[in-house]
Amino acid sequence: MSPRSRIASVAAGVLVLALGVSGCVEGEGSSLSPDAPDSAAGWSSDQLTVDFATYNPLSLIIKEEGWLEETLGDDVEVTWIQSSGSAAANDALRSGSLDVGSTAGSAALLARANGSPIKTIDVYSQPNWSAIVVAADSDIQSAEDLRGKNIAANAGTDPYFFLLQTLAEAGIGLDEVTITQLQHADGKTALEAGTVDAWAGLDPLMSASVVNAGSRIVYDNPDFNSYGFLNATESFLETSPDLAQLVVDAYEKARQWAADSPDDAAAIFADVAGIDLPIANSVLLERTNLAIDPAPGQKQLDVLNVIGPIFVDSGAVAEQSQIDDALASLFETTYVDAADPSRVSE
């Protein structure tokens, strides 16, 4: 039996219980042109709801600098909602409480494959944000030592899929480990308290645990991480393409701002995430690549084509055709192609 097949039966139960990713929302086949007519106030809507997340540094810069609010003025109320992880962002997008939300690429694919009508309109980072972490005094030295262990992970997020790939590579079936479903912050707490043997960690929580608690990264593989995806609902893109364009404009402004002002970017990151400045610098400079092509395309497809079959094998997605359809329809490059950071006020 192949390593990928060995993970299927147990993964099905964990994912189906934790994700709840079924259900379609209308909006398929809608026009995504950014040239929708403006309302009398000059914008297509008087409301814009976007997320910010510690795993998405550009969102923190945009929120802190107030660029959207300054550009939109009193005509549009901007509401910021914090996403604690990709699964939470997907839930908010699916329920309609978010117009634009940030997830890992793997989570965006899973949501789209199961009927959530989202489009990826920008790639905000190439992160090395996941790894397998153990306590300072743990006897675990490598991925092969995870057999028989209790591992904390947040299903539906990149660290969970990182764990699945790690176990498969090490030849360990999910029936040979215990996976404890915990939110990222709770996984960190459980590891440091000794109630789990290992944790599929996520930065910046992971780096903070390494520095402050002496936790150790025992397996790190950038190729197992998917990119950071900025997603919007199709209904939002249909009714408010002008606002979607402004959000992407702001993201590209933040990307340049972070490159020009890395110290200020790290300070914002440290403040919002509640971490020390050296940790923020480490995450941003050593484990996050912001200088990438923001248009979703072949590089992201290459990663997702590896992850997609795991969803089918585990039962998280019923058929490979759903993965294929999702990959064929997930990306929308219109907004990145038209991005102009100068349209965003300071």
Side-chain angles (χ1 to χ4, degrees):
M1 183 179 295
S2 69
R4 196 178 75 193
S5 297
R6 282 198 300 270
I7 71 175
S9 60
V10 180
V14 177
L15 281 167
V16 170
L17 176 65
L19 298 181
V21 291
S22 62
C24 294
V25 180
E26 292 185 5
E28 298 287 344
S30 60
S31 171
L32 300 177
S33 167
D35 299 320
D38 292 342
S39 67
W43 297 96
S44 57
S45 174
D46 60 2
Q47 300 285 331
L48 172 63
T49 305
V50 292
D51 80 341
F52 69 101
T54 57
Y55 54 84
N56 178 358
L58 297 185
S59 70
L60 307 183
I61 294 169
I62 297 167
K63 182 176 183 293
E64 176 68 19
E65 294 300 304
W67 294 331
L68 292 177
E69 293 84 348
E70 182 66 24
T71 305
L72 294 168
D74 295 332
D75 292 334
V76 180
E77 179 182 0
V78 179
T79 301
W80 290 92
I81 296 177
Q82 184 167 11
S83 292
S84 59
S86 295
N90 272 331
D91 285 344
L93 286 164
R94 191 164 43 248
S95 69
S97 57
L98 266 181
D99 297 320
V100 182
S102 42
T103 72
S106 56
L109 171 61
L110 183 61
R112 179 82 190 183
N114 280 291
S116 183
I118 59 171
K119 291 278 191 178
T120 298
I121 58 174
D122 186 276
V123 179
Y124 59 81
S125 72
Q126 182 186 20
N128 184 20
W129 52 21
S130 305
I132 305 301
V133 190
V134 300
D137 58 355
S138 173
D139 60 357
I140 298 173
Q141 300 298 323
S142 67
E144 287 73 17
D145 296 332
L146 293 173
R147 184 176 279 104
K149 303 300 184 181
N150 185 348
I151 309 164
N154 186 4
T157 67
D158 241 26
Y160 180 80
F161 303 124
F162 184 98
L163 173 62
L164 293 188
Q165 294 174 87
T166 298
L167 294 175
E169 183 181 67
I172 301 172
L174 285 187
D175 56 346
E176 298 179 277
V177 299
T178 299
I179 296 182
T180 299
Q181 162 62 25
L182 293 171
Q183 295 291 325
H184 298 305
D186 295 332
K188 172 179 178 292
T189 299
L191 178 73
E192 294 173 359
T195 56
V196 295
D197 300 308
W199 169 46
L202 177 71
D203 269 332
L205 293 168
M206 179 172 64
S207 291
S209 185
V210 169
V211 172
N212 296 329
S215 302
R216 295 184 291 110
I217 294 176
V218 295
Y219 188 72
D220 191 12
N221 187 340
D223 291 338
F224 283 0
N225 293 275
S226 63
Y227 287 72
F229 281 18
L230 187 70
N231 309 307
T233 62
E234 288 189 342
S235 59
F236 173 70
L237 295 177
E238 180 180 10
T239 60
S240 295
D242 53 338
L243 293 177
Q245 185 65 64
L246 180 64
V247 172
V248 173
D249 291 345
Y251 263 80
E252 295 319 300
K253 184 180 185 71
R255 194 184 308 277
Q256 186 58 55
W257 189 93
D260 294 341
S261 309
D263 291 341
D264 291 336
I268 291 173
F269 187 28
D271 181 59
V272 177
I275 57 177
D276 295 334
L277 188 57
I279 298 173
N281 274 306
S282 175
V283 173
L284 281 179
L285 300 179
E286 299 173 17
R287 300 187 64 85
T288 305
N289 180 15
L290 299 176
I292 60 172
D293 182 351
Q298 191 59 50
K299 288 184 177 180
Q300 290 73 42
L301 286 175
D302 290 343
V303 175
L304 296 180
N305 275 318
V306 173
I307 296 173
I310 294 175
F311 296 152
V312 180
D313 286 345
S314 68
V317 176
E319 298 177 355
Q320 180 62 37
S321 61
Q322 293 173 247
I323 297 292
D324 297 339
D325 290 345
L327 288 175
S329 60
L330 178 60
F331 297 163
E332 175 51 63
T333 62
T334 302
Y335 301 94
V336 168
D337 292 343
D340 182 357
S342 69
R343 289 193 287 250
V344 181
S345 300
E346 295 191 18

